[in-house]
Amino acid sequence: MSLRARLEIARDPDDRVVLSTVIDSDDAEVAPIQVTLPSSIDESQVAAQHRGSIAAAMALLSAMTLRQPLHIDQPVSSRLLRGLDEFQRIQAAWFPDAVGVVPIIATGIPLDGSPLDRAPSERTATFFTGGVDSFFTLLRHQHDLDAAVYVDGFDVPLSHPQMLDRVHDELAQIGRRLDLTMLAMRSTVREPGSARADWGLIGHGHALGSTAVVLGALGYTRVLIPSTASYDTLTPWGSHPLLDHLWSTEATQVIHDGAAHDRGAKVASISTHDAVRHHLRVCWERFDALNCSQCEKCLRTMSLLLAVGALDDVTTFRPPRSLVPLARRPVVSEEQRNYAVMAARALRRAGTHRRLARAFERSSKRYQVRLAGGRPSLVEQLEQLPRPSVPLSARLRRPSSLEPRSTVMNGGSPSVTVSIGMTGLGIPESITLGLPRAIDPNDTTAPGDLALLLGLLPAMLLGAPLRIEQPVSVALLEGVDAVQQIVASWYPSWVGPVAVHASSLATAPPGLGSVLLVDESNAAIATALSTQQRFAALAPIATADPAIATLPGHHHQPPADVANELAATAGAPIVQLDCPVSALLGDVIDRDRLLRGLEIAVRARLLGALGFGELVVAAPRHYRELRPAGSHPLIDRHWSTERLVVRHVDAERSTVERDALAATVVDRLRQRSLSR
């Protein structure tokens, strides 16, 4: 049994172009998914090379819910195929009872798909509904946007035409206020006969991502999806920073935007703008007004507006005399708990409306006791972490900037010595990284990249700008910016984002061959034994922190011994790197929560300098067990350069499966250790 999907193009009675993904099944009736394009779009503007990718994207959720392979009779983007494979693995790990992982088979083309050509000019679009998240993304990127896109049938059902007409009128007014093109599309993705999946947890992320693929076919090279949650309040959800970028193709980059800012910060940022005060719409429970002013979503938005003194200025709400009775309603989900905590904190900081703040706090506490097993919210857990022990002398002598620099020695014992540019915090004046052979002379950004990486955490800890006078990888500079936003959201009392100034940017040719990072976790062994991928080398990485090596799911064996055992099995050599990164803030910053990521980043960059093209990091935690940590699927991929890609893999594998796969190798090592 399988599904076959194809894209058909027609026109509706209003002469608008309709893209219809027709899905044929051997044993189920699946309604076509129709996307009606803006009236300004002609059929000729839908690039033919994208049509197979559109069909694959639109039909994916039907295949996942029916758990049937998906066949496409047109070429599909190589990058999209890779992304949708990972997308499925994450969603199936989060919601195994709702969706499964299925193969996508594009007929008559290579199994890895066909690359798409990029449009000749850069164009950026953002999804927009008129809510807090979409207003925040729109206003902060206003001058870079070519269009804002609203889709009928997503938040307002197609069965409410009067409400849709009102929304269109509001959007037109916003467009005139901001001098911005507003595009209206229409989708049947939520209509009867389509895939049945929870809209919030699964469906809306698929709808946004597949529509982004359509926008790519219309020539948009960047599509922004406004974030729902901030990095410190993430839970499994349809639109997520782990998921949205996976809808990218060679022609279009899909970006999850704004997760470094929580809802309170977003409200404070947008609350003074006239367009927000006259057109803010957050409600999805009723369709006879822009906002009902009674539901949970209206309540949390009104409370945050109240905290910044802007509620009376927003004309789209009709708040009751007191919000306290609404705040006393039971909290029924982790998402609602996060927003209750956020609203209480914002009101406490404002120093007003203490009764309302107490009501939110009590509702959150009742949820913690009754439904969360006494576990505090992630925000509260992060706040309880001990702060780094930064010496007072270092804080008082904070440098105006840090200027680390690398020196490469390719003769004798090859090495890279990085001078950090400061001596506070107990940091050595320089760190020397040892290599088994000379670095590739074609890799011109390796010295600057290593200087950037080793200077990053000291700069973030002290709040000092970072200046690099050597060429730096374009991809790494972008990745470092993303990493800063994530870790500063997780650990705001530890580090903050800093400006990075690079004197020049460059790219290096891609390397070849994949390397597996072997640490103390059973995950690395399981990946080595179960993957069909052939590794060009294995790279051991040990931690000096006994607390990590003795965690459940770790084997307590030296990583070098494990690498030797796996090398004999896999027939891959071992690459020994001398990376004393723990000397950098090892006594100041928690190793597992932050420094571990830098250890991976430095090794990745050294392996790229040796000519390798990929570093595989086996995930020690399942997707449902993720918590802020130095090695994390949100973090690791951002250490990639044009030279080498970093992949965080196998987070969908359960702990039981991982430990069972590793048991044989670990037992052999233990027996060998005892015999010695």
Side-chain angles (χ1 to χ4, degrees):
M1 294 183 293
S2 63
L3 299 184
R4 305 195 73 88
R6 65 185 186 277
L7 188 71
E8 297 181 354
I9 302 180
R11 288 187 177 269
D12 69 4
D14 296 324
D15 203 34
R16 294 172 64 181
V17 175
V18 179
L19 306 181
S20 183
T21 301
V22 179
I23 305 171
D24 298 320
S25 172
D26 298 332
D27 64 341
E29 288 190 15
V30 183
I33 301 172
Q34 296 181 330
V35 176
T36 304
L37 302 183
S39 56
S40 59
I41 302 297
D42 186 78
E43 178 181 341
S44 63
Q45 294 174 255
V46 183
Q49 63 168 338
H50 291 257
R51 295 179 184 183
S53 298
I54 294 173
M58 288 291 172
L60 178 66
L61 188 55
S62 296
M64 291 174 66
T65 54
L66 293 173
R67 302 174 192 263
Q68 295 184 10
L70 177 59
H71 292 264
I72 309 295
D73 60 1
Q74 294 169 296
V76 177
S77 156
S78 306
R79 182 176 178 183
L80 181 64
L81 280 178
R82 293 192 299 269
L84 294 186
D85 179 70
E86 186 174 349
F87 174 87
Q88 292 186 76
R89 294 179 187 280
I90 297 172
Q91 286 280 39
W94 283 345
F95 311 111
D97 295 333
V99 293
V101 179
V102 301
I104 303 174
I105 305 161
T107 305
I109 64 169
L111 291 178
D112 59 352
S114 300
L116 298 177
D117 296 329
R118 195 172 179 86
S121 59
E122 299 291 317
R123 298 172 66 204
T124 301
T126 183
F127 287 104
F128 184 76
T129 62
V132 170
D133 299 320
S134 58
F135 253 126
F136 178 78
T137 289
L138 183 144
L139 291 175
R140 80 172 186 148
H141 295 289
Q142 179 182 350
H143 300 296
D144 299 323
L145 290 174
D146 295 284
V149 179
Y150 178 78
V151 184
D152 297 355
F154 280 10
D155 62 331
V156 178
L158 299 178
S159 57
H160 291 272
Q162 291 182 327
M163 186 62 189
L164 287 170
D165 287 342
R166 182 168 183 183
V167 170
H168 291 171
D169 181 61
E170 296 289 325
L171 294 172
Q173 294 182 54
I174 294 169
R176 288 192 292 271
R177 283 180 182 272
L178 301 178
D179 190 25
L180 181 64
T181 299
M182 293 284 179
L183 298 180
M185 301 173 68
R186 182 182 186 274
S187 174
T188 64
V189 72
R190 296 189 72 180
E191 294 300 288
S194 300
R196 293 184 178 180
D198 184 280
W199 178 250
L201 296 177
I202 301 172
H204 85 282
H206 167 266
L208 290 168
S210 57
T211 306
V213 177
V214 173
L215 291 171
L218 300 181
Y220 289 95
T221 55
R222 294 172 75 240
V223 177
L224 308 181
I225 298 180
S227 63
T228 301
S230 52
Y231 289 123
D232 58 346
T233 59
L234 289 175
T235 57
W237 196 243
S239 172
H240 193 284
L242 280 177
L243 296 175
D244 290 350
H245 71 99
L246 298 173
W247 295 96
S248 298
T249 68
E250 297 84 356
T252 305
Q253 183 181 11
V254 182
I255 300 168
H256 185 92
D257 181 76
H261 308 267
D262 65 28
R263 189 63 58 88
K266 289 181 178 181
V267 167
S269 172
I270 68 175
S271 61
T272 60
H273 201 286
D274 282 345
V276 174
R277 292 184 170 188
H278 292 287
H279 304 288
L280 182 64
R281 182 180 69 90
V282 303
C283 188
W284 56 269
E285 291 200 2
R286 289 173 54 181
F287 304 110
D288 55 358
L290 292 181
N291 297 299
C292 74
S293 302
Q294 295 291 321
C295 69
E296 185 271 336
K297 195 171 182 183
C298 284
L299 167 65
R300 71 196 189 206
T301 306
M302 290 188 293
S303 301
L304 294 171
L305 287 167
L306 194 64
V308 296
L311 180 57
D312 292 340
D313 299 321
V314 179
T315 62
T316 57
F317 287 103
R318 295 292 181 267
R321 180 173 298 179
S322 173
L323 298 178
V324 172
L326 298 179
R328 287 173 177 162
R329 292 173 178 170
V331 171
V332 297
S333 68
E334 191 65 27
E335 180 196 16
Q336 288 187 13
R337 194 234 307 237
N338 287 332
Y339 288 127
V341 170
M342 192 184 305
R345 301 289 169 84
L347 292 163
R348 290 289 188 191
R349 286 195 299 268
T352 57
H353 307 285
R354 292 185 176 86
R355 286 184 64 233
L356 181 57
R358 285 197 298 273
F360 277 119
E361 289 166 348
R362 288 169 180 167
S363 295
S364 172
K365 186 60 68 175
R366 284 195 295 271
Y367 175 88
Q368 178 177 327
V369 172
R370 296 175 183 175
L371 298 176
R375 174 180 50 81
S377 69
L378 178 59
V379 173
E380 293 167 317
Q381 293 177 51
L382 292 174
E383 287 178 342
Q384 294 167 8
L385 293 174
R387 296 191 176 192
S389 53
V390 180
L392 178 62
S393 58
R395 293 199 299 267
L396 294 176
R397 296 199 306 268
R398 182 172 71 90
S400 58
S401 66
L402 289 187
E403 300 180 9
R405 186 172 184 84
S406 296
T407 302
V408 177
M409 296 289 293
N410 267 341
S413 299
S415 65
V416 179
T417 299
V418 181
S419 173
I420 304 301
M422 66 170 291
T423 56
L425 300 175
I427 298 175
E429 291 187 11
S430 63
I431 293 179
T432 298
L433 309 169
L435 298 117
R437 61 178 185 269
I439 68 172
D440 185 343
N442 294 318
D443 190 353
T444 57
T445 68
D449 292 345
L450 290 166
L452 168 59
L453 291 172
L454 289 171
L456 182 62
L457 279 186
M460 293 182 69
L461 193 65
L462 293 174
L466 195 58
R467 298 185 181 277
I468 310 297
E469 298 299 328
Q470 296 167 295
V472 171
S473 157
V474 175
L476 183 62
L477 192 62
E478 293 177 355
V480 161
D481 179 67
V483 169
Q484 289 196 77
Q485 300 298 325
I486 297 168
V487 299
S489 179
W490 285 344
Y491 314 119
S493 64
W494 292 12
V495 292
V498 298
V500 178
H501 305 281
S503 61
S504 63
L505 299 176
T507 60
L512 297 172
S514 183
V515 180
L516 175 66
L517 197 66
V518 179
D519 60 5
E520 298 89 343
S521 73
N522 289 341
I525 301 175
T527 295
L529 295 179
S530 65
T531 184
Q532 297 179 356
Q533 180 176 2
R534 182 174 177 83
F535 294 106
L538 305 175
I541 172 175
T543 176
D545 187 348
I548 296 176
T550 56
L551 289 173
H554 289 66
H555 50 63
H556 321 300
Q557 302 298 315
D561 291 353
V562 176
N564 283 324
E565 185 70 25
L566 293 176
T569 302
I574 294 175
V575 178
Q576 289 285 358
L577 301 170
D578 183 13
C579 298
V581 178
S582 59
L584 186 76
L585 301 174
D587 297 327
V588 177
I589 286 187
D590 184 289
R591 186 186 186 90
D592 180 44
R593 289 192 177 273
L594 198 52
L595 201 57
R596 185 69 161 188
L598 186 62
E599 292 178 322
I600 292 172
V602 171
R603 280 171 171 78
R605 197 59 196 87
L606 290 174
L607 289 167
L610 294 176
F612 293 104
E614 181 182 63
L615 176 63
V616 174
V617 181
R621 296 181 181 88
H622 191 270
Y623 278 123
R624 292 198 67 90
E625 301 168 352
L626 292 178
R627 63 170 179 79
S631 177
H632 190 284
L634 278 177
I635 296 285
D636 290 347
R637 68 184 180 91
H638 289 300
W639 302 126
S640 300
T641 64
E642 299 84 0
R643 187 76 170 169
L644 176 142
V645 174
V646 181
R647 293 176 55 230
H648 189 102
V649 304
D650 288 350
E652 73 276 10
R653 177 173 285 132
S654 69
T655 300
V656 172
E657 180 186 358
R658 178 192 63 196
D659 293 349
L661 283 167
T664 302
V665 171
V666 173
D667 285 345
R668 278 205 304 267
L669 287 168
R670 286 174 179 160
Q671 292 299 324
R672 201 167 295 160
S673 176
L674 290 173
S675 66
R676 288 198 296 263

